[in-house]
Amino acid sequence: MIFKKELLENWRNFKWIWVPIVFILFGIMDPITTYYMPKIIDAVGGLPEGAQINIPQPPPEQALLMSINEYSSLGVLMIVLITMGIISGEKKSGVAELILSRPVSFTNYITAKWASSILLILVSFITGMMFSWYYVNLLFGDLSLSQVFGAIFIYGFWLILVVSITMLISTLFKIPGLVGFISVLIVIFIHMLTSIFRHILTYSPANLSSYVSAYLYTGEMTADMWSTIFVTLIGIVLLLTSSIFILRNREI
């Protein structure tokens, strides 16, 4: 019931329209800009007469990674903005208390909201990556669809983790802006910690983006990739379980 309500709410808020469009823009922005940059610079002018612009075009794998990098920055920020008020907003308005006063379990309430958010994000992400793949094939050379779906599979776990982090923070605070700020800080902290202690944190979820790069060039799923995905899955389950526990035991 709550899952259907969330899906309907996302449709009424036009999220099923504008979120995929934004993800499409994130996916195609860098590949198209990179390809046409020499022409853009030439059209704008300002270079000495006779000067030539020679910007080497990246291979298709690198071009697709440009889209992944956009999702790592702007995409993650968008996800946090979309989900930061999913529970905190209802706690602040009193809607959460009204819903949970009915025969609705805390587990059902959390998992329904989590699942509806994941569905929206993953559909948008896949749509954006498909558009990116189309333009990469058109402008930079052939890249197999299986490679793209492999990249989507690997990186999708990181996006699910970001949603789960935001949802956990959303159960702790009633101010969506504060939830968003703390969630972004946590994501940045995970990246920084992984970068500093990379030799120790081999299976950190933040390594998934680098594993996407390795997969696109080799086409192989290594043991480290699977181990990192497994660790990420454990993190997602723990975050989701913690969200249910906190909401059940904390005053709404």
Side-chain angles (χ1 to χ4, degrees):
M1 181 181 71
I2 297 179
F3 179 71
K4 291 181 179 179
K5 167 188 167 296
E6 291 299 317
L7 292 180
L8 183 60
E9 189 69 24
N10 287 338
W11 178 253
R12 287 174 176 171
N13 293 334
F14 301 103
K15 286 183 180 179
W16 281 107
I17 298 175
W18 68 263
V19 176
I21 290 175
V22 171
F23 271 72
I24 289 171
L25 292 176
F26 289 161
I28 67 176
M29 182 167 52
D30 274 9
I32 291 178
T33 303
T34 300
Y35 183 82
Y36 288 106
M37 184 57 69
K39 296 180 181 179
I40 294 172
I41 296 175
D42 186 52
V44 172
L47 292 175
E49 187 176 350
Q52 294 183 346
I53 304 170
N54 185 19
I55 301 176
Q57 295 294 338
E61 294 84 1
Q62 185 61 40
L64 191 72
L65 283 173
M66 293 177 184
S67 299
I68 295 292
N69 289 335
E70 287 296 330
Y71 292 126
S72 296
S73 53
L74 296 177
V76 167
L77 182 61
M78 175 61 65
I79 290 171
V80 171
L81 290 174
I82 292 170
T83 56
M84 66 184 186
I86 193 168
I87 295 176
S88 60
E90 290 193 351
K91 287 173 64 178
K92 185 177 180 180
S93 64
V95 173
E97 186 176 4
L98 180 63
I99 293 174
L100 292 171
S101 64
R102 299 176 180 179
V104 176
S105 68
F106 290 93
T107 300
N108 187 21
Y109 180 75
I110 291 289
T111 54
K113 286 181 169 295
W114 178 84
S116 64
S117 298
I118 294 299
L119 183 62
L120 174 63
I121 297 303
L122 288 184
V123 168
S124 302
F125 175 54
I126 292 170
T127 304
M129 288 293 287
M130 288 297 97
F131 273 83
S132 175
W133 172 69
Y134 170 78
Y135 280 102
V136 166
N137 269 12
L138 187 68
L139 302 175
F140 298 97
D142 293 335
L143 188 66
S144 71
L145 190 58
S146 62
Q147 286 176 282
V148 180
F149 277 116
I152 291 171
F153 173 78
I154 296 170
Y155 197 72
F157 286 100
W158 171 250
L159 300 184
I160 295 173
L161 184 71
V162 172
V163 173
S164 304
I165 290 171
T166 309
M167 177 159 288
L168 174 62
I169 305 303
S170 189
T171 61
L172 291 169
F173 303 99
K174 294 184 178 181
I175 305 173
L178 181 62
V179 171
F181 178 72
I182 295 175
S183 300
V184 170
L185 283 183
I186 291 174
V187 171
I188 294 173
F189 178 74
I190 293 173
H191 273 290
M192 288 180 59
L193 203 64
T194 303
S195 179
I196 295 171
F197 300 104
R198 187 174 295 275
H199 58 293
I200 300 175
L201 302 176
T202 309
Y203 304 137
S204 168
N207 286 324
L208 287 173
S209 57
S210 62
Y211 286 141
V212 168
S213 175
Y215 176 80
L216 285 174
Y217 281 102
T218 65
E220 297 180 358
M221 293 286 293
T222 65
D224 284 347
M225 291 182 191
W226 285 114
S227 297
T228 304
I229 289 173
F230 180 69
V231 169
T232 306
L233 274 173
I234 292 175
I236 292 168
V237 172
L238 289 175
L239 288 166
L240 201 54
T241 304
S242 299
S243 298
I244 296 169
F245 177 81
I246 291 171
L247 193 65
R248 181 183 289 124
N249 294 279
R250 192 182 180 92
E251 183 179 353
I252 298 176

